[in-house]
Amino acid sequence: MALVFLSPFSVSAQIGNYLGDESDLYAATKQMNQFFRRFNHEEDKLGNKFDPSSKEFRNNADRKEYINILFDGQNKAVPQNVKDDFVNQVTNSANPTFLEFHGGDWFAEVTTRFVYEGREQDLTLFMKLQEEKVGSKWVISNVYFEPFAKIMGKDIQDPTKFLHPLSHELDFMNLRKIFDEPQKLKEVKNYVEANHKTDYVSLFLYEVARNALQFKTVTNVKFHFFQIDNWYLEVSRFNRGGYNNGWLISNLARITPQNKDVLLNYIYSNGN
């Protein structure tokens, strides 16, 4: 996975040129909604929204300059030509691409702290916008919690573990061999249907319902975008001095339809 690079000096220079003497006041992208507007060039340097009928609204020439200052300037892992390819694609005059708040294919990764088994532990909630008849709302779509992962393991079965096809003639009393020995309880997954997938959301809801998980706080938020064809971008918040702060593109990678699922699995498993 690649990370976009702009040197901190060049980013500061671009921001200063674009925003003028008041750049220190206006450079920070303070809210995600503002990130959308800046990426799409829907507001001016002071944060005033453009009239959709104006020539400035979603102006591609200005977008190209504006998008360049929305990258985390301290990332050093991606060649400049990769960033240029991305910017050129989304600002293509014949077929420009914009980020849409209600466009789907983006979600939040929310790192939280819960008390579980007597101590505070990190738990990641993946949240997406769900469209309703009137408006929309954020909902939990996936969960990653290391204690769940340790207990459940991978969704891989051992073909040598099975119940004989004539088990019904024994009234399934041979189920005893699965449940009688505590050390074998983690092997129960070998006896469920082959396409079963562990549902961490249901585990999470169960543990919350019995008060085994107690919410403490949110420690970090970032967003993952798959809206732009053949690209993945991550947006994170940076609280630091200088111009290059607020909500910025913290990660950028070319993707194909084939490796999109691989990347999603990587994100949902916290890289494990």
Side-chain angles (χ1 to χ4, degrees), residues 12 24 83 86 98 108 113 119 140 145 150 163 166 179 191 202 206 219 233 235 245:
S12 297
D24 57 331
K83 178 187 72 70
F86 172 77
F98 303 95
R113 298 284 286 175
R119 64 187 182 91
I140 297 170
F145 190 37
K150 285 182 176 179
L163 289 173
L166 293 179
F179 299 110
Y191 301 93
S202 294
Y206 172 74
T219 59
L233 60 147
V235 177
N245 66 88

Side-chain angles (χ1 to χ4, degrees), residues 115-145:
V115 174
Y116 185 69
E117 295 183 340
R119 64 187 182 91
E120 287 192 16
Q121 302 190 54
D122 288 335
L123 184 150
T124 304
L125 299 174
F126 297 95
M127 308 189 69
K128 67 178 183 180
L129 277 176
Q130 178 174 289
E131 300 301 323
E132 301 289 307
K133 290 182 179 179
V134 178
S136 58
K137 63 183 181 182
W138 283 99
V139 297
I140 297 170
S141 61
N142 212 330
V143 171
Y144 179 82
F145 190 37

